Amino acid sequence: MLNHLKAQPADKILQLMQAFRVDPREDKIDLGVGVYKDADGHTPIMRAIKAAEQQLWNVEDTKVYTSLAGDPAFHEVMIELLLADSAPRDRIAACATPGGTGAVRQAFDLVKLANPNARVFVSNPTWPNHLSILEHIGLEIVPYRYFEPESGAVDFDGMIADLGQARPGDVVLLHGCCHNPTGANLTLPDWQAVVDILNSTGAVPIIDIAYQGFGDGLEDDAVGTRLVASACPQVMIAASCSKNFGIYRERTGITLVICETAEQRNVAQANLAHLNRQGYSFPPDHGARLVTMVLGDAALRTDWQAELDDVRRNMLSLRKQLSGELQRLTNSNRFGFLAQHRGMFSRLGLSTTMIDSLREKNGIYMVGDSRINIAGLNVNTVPVVARAIAETLE
Ligand code: LMR
C-alpha cells in the first residue's frame, strides 16, 4: 500500500528554514521564515509569557482535558482582543486550534462542510500554505488581484473588480493586517469598499489575522476585521498567537465564526467541536492558558503590550533604515515601499537569479518570491543586506 504514496512538494518556507540551519557560514542572514528576532538574532520568550509560565507552574494542579473546543476563558479573551464589541457575543462560535494554521484549516474545513462547491477567492499572492491547504481539502481556488509589483502598492481597483465576480456560497479570504507575503495593506476606506462588495455579492469573508500588533498597533491592526465583523452577516476569523505572543511552538490559535443568529451559532459551535474531534480531539492548552493569563491580568497585559510595541517599533525602524540605505545606494526610490509597508514581510521584486545569488554568494536567505522577513534584520545587518541587494542590481 505505502508504495502508492507519491512524494509531496516541499513547503518553500520551511525548506528554506532548514537550508539556513545547515549553512555553516557564520555571517549568514535569515530573512526567510516569519519569526521575530532581536538584535542578537535570538527569538526571546516575552516577559509576560515567562511570568505567566512561572505562575502556572505554581497554580496548575491538573492536566485533565479541557473542552473539545478548548478553554472557554481563552475564547473570551481572544474575542475581546480581536473583535472588542464589534459583534454580539451570542452570535460568535469559537474554537481553540493548534496555531494559526490550525485555525485556517478549521475555517476551510467548515466551509467544506457547509458548501463543498464553495469557491475560495484568495489574494494573488497569498501565504503559500493557504493554497496548499485548500488544494489538500479540495476547495476550488479563485485568485484575485491584490498587488502591484512595480509600485509595491495594493492593486485595489483590480481587487474590487475581481471580488465582484464572487457569488453567494463563495468565500473571500482576506488578511486582517500585515499582508503575507507583500506587506501592502488595505486602508480603512478600502476595507469599507470590501465590505460593500462582500455584502452586494453575498460572499462570506474569512479573515486570517496572524500579526495583530505587528503593523500599526493592536487596535489599529484590528480595525478592518472589526469593520467586517460589524457589517457582514456571516464572518469567519482565523487568528494566531504565535507571533504577537511569541509562542510559536506552543501552537496557539483560534477560529471564530460570526453567525446571523444565536441558533445558527450553536450549530456552528457544534461543527467546530466536531472538526476538532475528527482531527486531534482536544486542542493544545498550554499556550492558550498563558495567553488567557496575560490578557486577564492587568500588570501582565500592560507589560506584554509594552514589549509588543517595542517589537513593532523596532520593525518599523528597520524598514525605514533599509529603505533609506537602498535609496542611497541605488540612487532611486525603487524600494521606498519598504517604509510604507507594515508587518514582518515585504516583497522586494527581485528575480530568481538575484535571490539565488544573494543566498549563494552573500548567505542572505529570502523566500523564492523575494519576500523578506524584516524582523530577521538588525541595525548591523541592514547595511550589509542593502549593499548586497544593490550589487545584485548592477
Ligand atoms: C511565514 O509565513 O513565514 C510564517 O507564517 C511561518 C509559516 O508557517 O509559514
Side-chain angles (χ1 to χ4, degrees), residues 146-343:
Y146 185 79
F147 187 59
E148 285 171 352
E150 291 75 33
S151 63
V154 174
D155 176 2
F156 192 64
D157 291 344
M159 176 182 185
I160 290 296
D162 290 350
L163 293 188
Q165 305 302 311
R167 302 187 289 253
D170 287 340
V171 165
V172 173
L173 179 63
L174 299 158
H175 296 226
C177 61
C178 308
H179 186 267
N180 179 6
T182 68
N185 295 299
L186 300 179
T187 63
L188 193 53
D190 293 346
W191 277 104
Q192 184 57 58
V194 169
V195 163
D196 294 343
I197 202 91
L198 287 167
N199 285 341
S200 70
T201 59
V204 173
I206 298 184
I207 302 180
D208 181 358
I209 178 159
Y211 300 92
Q212 188 185 0
F214 269 40
D216 292 305
L218 280 171
E219 296 301 307
D220 286 353
D221 289 349
V223 289
T225 304
R226 291 176 187 171
L227 182 68
V228 174
S230 67
C232 294
Q234 300 181 9
V235 183
M236 284 175 252
I237 296 162
S240 172
C241 300
S242 297
K243 277 74 182 191
N244 51 7
F245 289 88
I247 49 173
Y248 306 85
R249 64 173 65 168
E250 303 298 354
R251 311 312 299 136
T252 308
I254 192 162
T255 307
L256 302 180
V257 182
I258 305 174
C259 301
E260 283 184 78
T261 62
E263 292 70 39
Q264 193 180 72
R265 176 256 167 216
N266 293 341
V267 180
Q269 184 66 52
N271 273 266
L272 290 174
H274 169 79
L275 284 171
N276 266 6
R277 186 66 168 156
Q278 307 323 302
Y280 38 79
S281 284
F282 298 83
D285 178 68
H286 185 72
R289 195 152 295 274
L290 298 175
V291 167
T292 309
M293 292 171 77
V294 168
L295 293 179
D297 177 289
L300 289 181
R301 188 173 181 137
T302 303
D303 190 42
W304 167 68
Q305 273 182 220
E307 191 169 0
L308 181 59
D309 247 3
D310 286 346
V311 163
R312 182 177 65 79
R313 276 195 286 264
N314 183 32
M315 285 189 292
L316 266 179
S317 131
L318 289 166
R319 281 188 173 282
K320 288 196 188 122
Q321 270 181 52
L322 183 61
S323 167
E325 196 71 9
L326 281 165
Q327 185 172 35
R328 195 177 62 78
L329 291 170
T330 63
N331 211 11
S332 82
N333 201 27
R334 171 173 173 173
F335 297 100
F337 59 80
L338 283 167
Q340 312 307 322
H341 286 171
R342 288 294 180 274

Side-chain angles (χ1 to χ4, degrees), residues 30 38 59 71 77 91 132 172 181 233 279 281 329 353 356 358 361:
D30 181 12
D38 63 17
V59 299
D71 182 3
V77 291
R91 292 206 281 111
S132 178
V172 173
S281 284
L329 291 170
T353 318
D356 290 347
L358 284 166
K361 192 167 144 230

Side-chain angles (χ1 to χ4, degrees), residues 181 346-351 355 366-372:
S346 274
R347 223 187 212 196
L348 293 180
L350 305 180
S351 69
I355 296 161
M366 66 182 72
V367 183
D369 61 358
S370 74
R371 184 194 84 170
I372 58 167

Side-chain angles (χ1 to χ4, degrees), residues 11 13-14 32-35 101 127-129 180 211 243 345 371:
D11 181 289
I13 297 173
L14 302 185
V33 68
V35 166
T101 306
W127 183 48
N129 210 23
N180 179 6
Y211 300 92
K243 277 74 182 191
F345 307 116
R371 184 194 84 170

